[in-house]
Amino acid sequence: MKVKIYGFEWHLGKSITLDDLSFYISTKSGITTDDRLLSLHKKDGFWVGVMLTIKNMKAFCKITRDGGSFTISPQELEENTNMAHFNFFLIHPATGRGLYQHYHHSAATNTFCHHCKTYYTLLKKENIREEYKARERETPGSADMREIRNRYMGSLRYSLILKKDSFESLVSKLRNVNLFEFELSTFTDNEDIFTPASAYAKRISHRMTFDRSLGSLMSDKIKNSIMETIPMIKRGTVRGIDPDGNEEAYRLINDIDHFASYEYDEVVKTININSNNLHESIDNSYFIQEMLKLANKSPIKEILSIEAST
């Protein structure tokens, strides 16, 4: 089984910075909620941490092979023990982009981001409440709850960073592409990135629709234009006809590229997290060390650090 490193990006609402949110989460480090433990702190210029998912199951099945036959038997965990999944992560403090380690059955990147979103919502509510109280103490009757809430408008939005080659692979399977919905991040200077595909689009905003009657030749041109146009996709949908004649819609957010991969059986031996020395054990973990190396080498360094236009 492979352990892979994926990329993600956060966009925050008004009046709450990434450092505000990260510091708030760090104050909750080590506290278990909903069978999850999230720890976060600053290291080497990044926010780093781990999310542990604690399983309630106390027993599991083991298969034993003997030549051409096998036996499946139950196994019980020791008292005061549970199975746990680990997911390490790293976040760039200026851009909100980060790296997330994942393997099959562990919490997906979206799950991690959604969990952090709950902390954002708690922080937002606390800030609104405290600001209202502060204004009332200073000038009784002056606090306008609607105005305060507007100052904190928005929430934590997140998306997954994709590489161009994944998009090209998916689109190359289709013919008669008739729909392209997307969110973009470009990590180069602003330019007219839509020019190659716009000649064939009925309308352009964050959704492109194409005439089904254009035929295979024009469809190939559309397909090639899209592949040449998009350097990075945060999330998107491409719809067209597959080789079997069926209409397919590919949601690129569900086919995420990874930046590195490792063998689970090897790296699981390195896991050693101690709640009595939580930050140090996280700092010394194999995956945080690996992520810091990745985050400081091209091209991941540029992807994480360069401001994106959206």
Side-chain angles (χ1 to χ4, degrees):
M1 182 168 66
K2 293 289 186 180
V3 181
K4 298 179 179 180
I5 305 293
Y6 296 104
F8 65 90
E9 183 173 13
W10 286 356
H11 295 279
L12 279 64
K14 296 167 62 177
S15 300
I16 295 178
T17 68
L18 180 62
D19 276 346
D20 291 338
L21 175 60
S22 299
F23 179 76
Y24 180 77
I25 294 175
S26 73
T27 65
K28 312 296 182 182
S29 290
I31 300 174
T32 304
T33 58
D34 298 329
D35 296 325
R36 285 200 171 93
L37 181 148
L38 181 64
S39 180
L40 175 68
H41 65 279
K42 208 73 170 284
K43 177 177 173 58
D44 296 349
F46 294 91
W47 288 99
V48 301
V50 67
M51 185 169 74
L52 301 178
T53 303
I54 304 163
K55 298 295 184 180
N56 290 325
M57 57 193 299
K58 293 291 186 179
F60 60 96
C61 288
K62 178 181 73 173
I63 184 170
T64 304
R65 293 184 176 88
D66 183 11
S69 61
F70 65 86
T71 302
I72 295 180
S73 57
Q75 303 289 312
E76 291 190 6
L77 296 173
E78 298 175 3
E79 189 175 356
N80 296 324
T81 62
N82 292 86
M83 296 185 70
H85 292 302
F86 57 90
N87 299 99
F88 291 90
F89 58 88
L90 169 152
I91 308 170
H92 193 290
T95 64
R97 299 195 201 102
L99 302 176
Y100 183 79
Q101 162 263 312
H102 175 263
Y103 58 91
H104 189 52
H105 290 311
S106 70
T109 314
N110 278 339
T111 302
F112 160 71
C113 291
H114 182 76
H115 191 63
C116 292
K117 185 176 181 178
T118 62
Y119 284 103
Y120 181 96
T121 302
L122 290 172
L123 174 60
K124 176 180 173 179
K125 289 179 178 178
E126 288 184 17
N127 284 358
I128 291 173
R129 184 169 59 250
E130 291 303 315
E131 185 166 334
Y132 180 86
K133 289 180 180 178
R135 291 192 186 187
E136 283 295 299
R137 283 195 300 268
E138 184 176 336
T139 308
S142 66
D144 184 342
M145 181 58 80
R146 178 178 296 180
E147 187 269 329
I148 295 173
R149 283 175 175 160
N150 284 339
R151 276 189 13 89
Y152 290 93
M153 187 178 296
S155 63
L156 172 61
R157 296 181 294 112
Y158 50 87
S159 54
L160 307 180
I161 297 175
L162 306 177
K163 294 179 182 176
K164 184 181 178 183
D165 54 359
S166 176
F167 172 69
E168 291 174 337
S169 175
L170 288 173
V171 174
S172 67
K173 300 173 184 177
L174 298 176
R175 57 184 175 85
N176 294 337
V177 175
N178 55 65
L179 173 69
F180 178 35
E181 296 179 321
F182 55 88
E183 289 184 22
L184 297 176
S185 285
T186 59
F187 301 104
T188 58
D189 293 336
N190 290 332
E191 57 185 352
D192 188 8
I193 58 175
F194 302 109
T195 300
S198 61
Y200 312 114
K202 292 180 180 177
R203 57 191 177 93
I204 302 174
S205 177
H206 284 85
R207 176 184 175 95
M208 291 184 180
T209 59
F210 303 96
D211 194 335
R212 294 172 183 266
S213 64
L214 288 175
S216 59
L217 180 60
M218 191 62 71
S219 179
D220 286 341
K221 289 184 178 180
I222 293 171
K223 184 166 58 178
N224 293 336
S225 294
I226 292 174
M227 288 190 288
E228 292 171 2
T229 300
I230 311 302
M232 184 68 67
I233 299 175
K234 295 199 297 185
R235 55 166 67 93
T237 300
V238 181
R239 188 176 67 204
I241 306 302
D242 70 9
D244 296 323
N246 302 313
E247 185 169 76
E248 292 287 351
Y250 295 107
R251 298 183 61 83
L252 302 188
I253 199 168
N254 293 326
D255 189 71
I256 309 305
D257 285 295
H258 61 277
F259 294 110
S261 64
Y262 311 85
E263 289 295 336
Y264 175 85
D265 290 342
E266 293 299 320
V267 297
V268 72
K269 301 172 185 176
T270 71
I271 304 302
N272 184 14
I273 299 174
N274 189 331
S275 64
N276 294 323
N277 198 6
L278 192 56
H279 289 179
E280 184 176 347
S281 62
I282 292 172
D283 287 347
N284 293 332
S285 67
Y286 174 80
F287 273 114
I288 293 301
Q289 296 297 321
E290 280 294 299
M291 286 182 175
L292 287 170
K293 291 178 185 176
L294 289 171
N296 285 289
K297 293 196 321 189
S298 294
I300 298 177
K301 180 179 179 180
E302 288 72 28
I303 292 174
L304 294 182
S305 62
I306 297 176
E307 291 294 339
S309 60
T310 56

